[in-house]
Amino acid sequence: MENHVLMTDDMLWDYADGFLSDQDKKRVDAYLSRHPEWKTRLDIVLREKREMATLPLETPAPGFSDRVMAAWATEHLAAKAAAKGDDWIVRIIVVVFGLFVLTPVVAMVVAALQLSPEQTTTPAFEMPQVALPTVPLETWLDSAFLQYGLVLAFALIGLRFLDKVLRHQFAPQALA
Amino acid sequence: MAAPISDEILIQQALAGQQSACSMLVKRYEKYVFTLALRFVKSREDAHEVAQDCFLRMFRYMADFRGDCKFTTWLYRIVYSTALNHLRKKTPEILSLDDAERPLQLKNEAAPDASAALERDDRNAALHRAIEMLSHDDAGIITLFYLYEQNLDEICQIMDLTMTNAKTKLCRARQRLRAIMDANFSTEFGVKMAE
């Protein structure tokens, strides 16, 4: 059996690292029991292996972990802000508010800029004198247009809140 | 004494937004990540940069970790790819960390600090210095296998190698380490192995 073993350092390392098959391991064991000089070499290999396994780890500069956490906090905040901007519900809320709240304002401005027929003949350097249309506050608050708009906006805000709660609740389960 | 919180629980807490869990993960692995980064990039300054990038990437992609492998294997894979990207940026001609064709630095004059290690008569320091003199890939695979006790399967995942390739690389890395120790640290490692 011994004749089949061509002993080398690599084989010793493979033996020490557990890479040999059971059959090869038995052959090496038999060889080592007959050749004490190779047993000595194996002891050296095992010592070096042990030394490599117990080398001290390098220590990063003091405050390294704090710097990492600060960098992460900065990145996290930026990502959060960016995600908020990309959120479709937030966009819809903005559009709804725009439609229902800003539309009357825009309408008033447009009305103010409209010229009456006789004023079209006035010279360009004269400012047109037009009366601004006024809408009483009570009338505006009573309008179904505003009320439905507000209900829709609040419904979307609620939906967004629900979405956040569900994401928060189910995110850790992704690890399972 | 209370048992330390497992990595899995810390990851779940970190995913739920607990900053303290993130901080604990960094503190737990900062030395491992920094040491491995240093083995690859060879400079402490660059290793700090790579290690910080690793942790940021770890937080970014933590939700993608499904537990198919050990957390450390996943983390060391991030270290390896981050170090590789860092080296590519610094020296664009590097396409792989595998410097198998690179000639070994066996002469004493190539390692001026070697004499200091010898004077200290410290086998650990000499071994440490010898590993530093290895190429990026060799130092990395030696560190992963012997110091971090990652098995060959895990090393394959970390360094994106086949099993045969990983075994061959480890064997070559050992041979180069042996050659460096024989050439530069013969006082510490006096017994020369068979040719």
Side-chain angles (χ1 to χ4, degrees), chain A residues 7-21 37-38 40-76 79 167-168 171-176, chain B residues 8 11-12 15-17 19-20 22-23 26-27 30-32 34-35 38-39 44 47-49 51-52 55-56 59-60 62-63 65-67 123-125 127-128 131-132 142 145-149 152 167 170-171 174-175 177-178 181 188-189 191-195:
Chain A
M7 188 55 75
T8 60
D9 285 338
D10 287 338
M11 187 170 278
L12 276 186
W13 275 98
D14 284 350
Y15 177 84
D17 290 340
F19 292 162
L20 295 184
S21 65
E37 73 279 12
W38 279 98
T40 308
R41 286 170 187 265
L42 175 65
D43 290 341
I44 294 167
V45 164
L46 290 174
R47 186 172 68 170
E48 286 183 10
K49 190 171 145 70
R50 208 166 39 244
E51 284 168 348
M52 281 196 277
T54 53
L55 272 180
L57 294 170
E58 300 284 342
T59 308
F64 171 77
S65 59
D66 294 336
R67 280 197 298 280
V68 170
M69 292 312 295
W72 173 238
T74 308
E75 185 181 312
H76 193 53
R167 277 171 198 253
H168 182 75
Q173 291 179 11
L175 275 175
Chain B
E8 287 71 24
I11 291 166
Q12 286 188 8
L15 283 172
Q19 288 294 300
S20 59
C22 294
S23 180
V26 173
K27 282 185 178 137
E30 64 177 358
K31 285 188 179 180
Y32 290 93
F34 180 71
T35 302
L38 187 59
R39 293 280 188 270
R44 290 188 74 85
H48 276 109
E49 200 179 311
Q52 177 163 324
F55 283 118
L56 293 181
F59 292 141
R60 250 176 257 154
M62 198 175 267
F65 175 65
R66 304 267 165 192
R123 286 178 62 94
N124 256 5
L127 182 58
H128 188 269
I131 291 175
E132 277 181 356
I142 290 270
F145 188 78
Y146 292 109
L147 184 58
Y148 293 1
E149 296 178 343
L152 276 184
K167 208 171 166 185
L170 182 64
C171 182
R174 263 188 342 233
Q175 288 168 350
L177 182 65
R178 180 75 251 164
M181 291 195 303
E188 270 78 7
F189 302 96
V191 184
K192 288 211 174 191
M193 304 297 270
E195 301 304 322

Side-chain angles (χ1 to χ4, degrees), chain A residues 42-163:
Chain A
L42 175 65
D43 290 341
I44 294 167
V45 164
L46 290 174
R47 186 172 68 170
E48 286 183 10
K49 190 171 145 70
R50 208 166 39 244
E51 284 168 348
M52 281 196 277
T54 53
L55 272 180
L57 294 170
E58 300 284 342
T59 308
F64 171 77
S65 59
D66 294 336
R67 280 197 298 280
V68 170
M69 292 312 295
W72 173 238
T74 308
E75 185 181 312
H76 193 53
L77 284 176
K80 243 180 156 178
K84 221 170 199 174
D86 288 341
D87 197 318
W88 64 274
I89 294 179
V90 172
R91 285 184 178 182
I92 291 177
I93 290 169
V94 170
V95 170
V96 167
F97 269 113
L99 272 175
F100 288 90
V101 179
L102 293 180
T103 304
V105 177
V106 173
M108 285 195 297
V109 171
V110 170
L113 291 175
Q114 279 176 345
L115 299 175
S116 60
E118 59 273 19
Q119 281 172 326
T120 52
T121 56
T122 43
F125 58 85
E126 279 186 28
M127 286 296 290
Q129 299 296 313
V130 290
L132 290 174
T134 55
V135 180
L137 184 63
E138 294 76 22
T139 313
W140 174 235
L141 289 177
D142 284 344
S143 84
F145 194 60
L146 177 70
Q147 286 170 0
Y148 285 130
L150 286 175
V151 167
L152 184 59
F154 284 124
L156 286 168
I157 291 168
L159 198 59
R160 176 74 186 92
F161 179 73
L162 187 67
D163 176 57

Side-chain angles (χ1 to χ4, degrees), chain B residues 67-80:
Chain B
D68 302 335
C69 58
K70 281 197 294 188
F71 174 68
T72 47
T73 304
W74 180 75
L75 179 60
Y76 298 151
R77 185 173 168 78
I78 294 178
V79 178
Y80 179 74

